[in-house]
Amino acid sequence: MTSTLIAEKSGVSLPSLLTVCRQTVPVLDRPEIHSLRERGETIANRWGIPGKKDEEWQFTDISELLAVNWQKADKGSIDPKVLNAFLLPEAKQSRIVFVNGFYSPELSDISALSAGVSVGNLADTQIDLIVKYLGREKSEEFFSALNGAGFSDVAVIHVAKNVTETAPIHLLYLSIADGTPRFYQPRTLIITETGAKVSIIENYVALATHCSDIPNNQPYFTNAVTEIYLEANSEVQHTRLQRESGDAFHIGRTSIEQFRDSRYTLNEITLGAKLYRHNLDVTQSGEQTETALNGLTMIAGEQTADTHSAIYLNFPGGTTNQLHKCIVDGKAHAIFNGKVFVPKPAQLTNAAQLNQNLLLSPKARVNTKPELQITADNVKCSHGATVSQLEADEVFYLQSRGLTAQDARNLLIDAFAAEILDKIPVESLQQRLGQCVACRSGD
């Protein structure tokens, strides 16, 4: 199927995204890398751009994204002093930085990492490791395939057998909004071998002087894919932050595969971007596997934030606990669709899923659809969703204790968000995000 036919299928004008992908040169000239890119282009051509007729995209309008004439990424440069605003004290010497999708060794610092922990980009990594894991998730979703067709580099984090890394590893993706509509395709590969433990912060931010939800007429498009593989009895604490510019489009996919006795925790915080979509897939590929997914979306204005998750509990004794919260103000639109699959072999599993939504204005919207598909007969599973506004009785009670109406409102919003923020395992990041939520709730 040609790109013209893809445009006809989507029903909108299609900028030549695949042309931009072909113009993007991989930093490692190896047949295995070219093979992955060719596979991605084949899948993208086969499936075409999703539209509202596709059930998974029925509430998410991407026509604005497709109306832009996107240009390939341009390697930007920044003053190292600007980086200070994004650094974390706990990870100053355990960070890897990409600017506009390009690895920046001069801004990175991994001097504090333990022996047995390897952090770098595609050119720094053993090709055998890349070939074994990269692209193994086999997604046939359009935007993931598009990333496969056009990624130029890969951020690679590898933790060797039985190694515990005490310092959090900060993976910082910086975007420079310069007025030219750039198209970035970050790719991340995280591997923890048997018995390994690590905490990772995956951070997408805009280099801007204004808050990340405020538009400034400087669009760019981040199309990110992250693959995470946890071998037996390994543990990953994963914090994913999205604080893109208010003009940005961010579509991401995170694919996790867990093996026996492994433990994976995701803390996902979404604040920025005009349009945000995160496709999250977790596959439990062994017994006694534990998965915890915690999410907080806080949007306002005319932002759209869409989280689609799918959790596959394929073996006995697996557990999963998902809590996703949305705070929606202005004319913003939040979408949540969470699926949990429990097939017959997955006996003695325990799965819980809850989506809680707080609407702060009459024009704020949410579409929520938690789902359970169970064929096993010896399981404990639950799911649910709530949509509410601030309770007048709670605001009145706080006012009776001396708070103003605005302070009472802010306190309730902060408490709603705190249940997720308190789970972030990096104290300075907890405090920084708490201040950001407090600032926005006070607007």
Side-chain angles (χ1 to χ4, degrees), residues 70-352:
W70 298 109
Q71 307 296 311
K72 73 174 184 176
D74 181 36
K75 187 174 184 179
S77 61
I78 66 171
D79 185 338
K81 294 180 181 177
V82 176
L83 194 66
N84 292 332
F86 305 103
L87 297 183
L88 301 171
E90 298 91 338
K92 276 195 173 182
Q93 294 177 304
S94 55
R95 70 177 188 270
I96 178 171
V97 181
F98 284 72
V99 179
N100 289 357
F102 293 89
Y103 174 52
S104 177
E106 64 275 13
L107 298 178
S108 303
D109 185 347
I110 55 173
S111 58
L113 294 179
S114 306
V117 180
S118 173
V119 175
N121 73 326
L122 188 60
D124 290 339
T125 309
Q126 293 181 352
I127 190 61
D128 290 344
L129 187 70
I130 292 292
V131 171
K132 181 179 179 181
Y133 288 99
L134 188 66
R136 198 166 80 179
E137 54 102 16
K138 304 296 183 187
S139 169
E140 295 207 353
E141 186 270 331
F142 173 78
F143 287 103
S144 302
L146 193 66
N147 180 286
F151 74 91
S152 63
D153 207 346
V154 181
V156 181
I157 299 173
H158 174 234
V159 186
K161 184 177 180 179
N162 294 327
V163 171
T164 296
E165 178 50 65
T166 55
I169 299 175
H170 189 188
L171 175 55
L172 183 61
Y173 285 109
L174 268 171
S175 298
I176 302 173
D178 60 3
T180 301
R182 302 290 183 187
F183 177 29
Y184 310 129
Q185 300 213 81
R187 187 102 184 189
T188 305
L189 177 64
I190 299 168
I191 305 154
T192 55
E193 294 189 9
T194 301
K197 295 182 181 180
V198 68
S199 175
I200 295 167
I201 303 159
E202 182 183 2
N203 195 358
Y204 297 89
V205 297
L207 193 61
T209 57
H210 54 279
C211 196
S212 58
D213 65 334
I214 300 174
N216 200 37
N217 198 29
Q218 293 184 330
Y220 61 90
F221 176 23
T222 300
N223 182 39
V225 171
T226 298
E227 297 177 77
I228 304 176
Y229 298 97
L230 292 85
E231 298 295 347
N233 197 35
S234 65
E235 181 175 341
V236 173
Q237 290 274 345
H238 179 202
T239 302
R240 189 184 198 275
L241 309 178
Q242 186 277 111
R243 296 180 292 171
E244 304 271 25
S245 157
D247 299 295
F249 300 86
H250 183 114
I251 295 179
R253 175 179 174 82
T254 302
S255 176
I256 302 103
E257 185 173 11
Q258 298 180 246
F259 294 91
R260 178 181 54 81
D261 295 315
S262 64
R263 300 164 300 283
Y264 173 77
T265 300
L266 172 66
N267 300 303
E268 178 186 1
I269 311 297
T270 300
L271 300 172
K274 172 187 285 188
L275 170 67
Y276 173 73
R277 165 78 176 225
H278 187 206
N279 298 306
L280 172 63
D281 284 358
V282 181
T283 301
Q284 293 190 351
S285 296
E287 297 182 1
Q288 306 295 327
T289 306
E290 300 176 14
T291 306
L293 306 178
N294 309 302
L296 174 65
T297 295
M298 188 172 189
I299 53 176
E302 297 187 357
Q303 290 178 276
T304 297
D306 181 352
T307 300
H308 269 61
S309 64
I311 308 169
Y312 302 88
L313 291 85
N314 296 318
F315 288 81
T319 64
T320 178
N321 191 346
Q322 182 176 22
L323 174 61
H324 192 90
K325 293 191 169 190
C326 299
I327 303 172
V328 192
D329 204 350
K331 298 180 181 178
H333 183 195
I335 302 112
F336 174 80
N337 185 194
K339 300 184 180 72
V340 179
F341 299 90
V342 188
K344 193 169 184 179
Q347 302 294 335
L348 300 173
T349 60
N350 189 336

Side-chain angles (χ1 to χ4, degrees), residues 12 51-52 57-65 249 275 304 306 333 335:
V12 296
K52 288 202 167 185
W57 290 83
Q58 61 180 315
F59 299 117
T60 308
D61 184 0
I62 61 172
S63 58
E64 281 193 69
L65 183 154
F249 300 86
L275 170 67
T304 297
D306 181 352
H333 183 195
I335 302 112

Side-chain angles (χ1 to χ4, degrees), residues 423-437:
K423 297 178 186 295
I424 295 174
V426 180
E427 184 177 354
S428 65
L429 188 56
Q430 263 192 38
Q431 294 174 354
R432 191 173 300 180
L433 291 171
Q435 292 169 356
C436 191
V437 169

Side-chain angles (χ1 to χ4, degrees), residues 298 327 358 360 390 409-417 437 441:
M298 188 172 189
I327 303 172
L358 184 61
L360 301 180
L390 291 175
R409 177 182 182 274
N410 296 347
L411 185 62
L412 291 171
I413 294 170
D414 293 350
F416 184 83
V437 169
S441 62

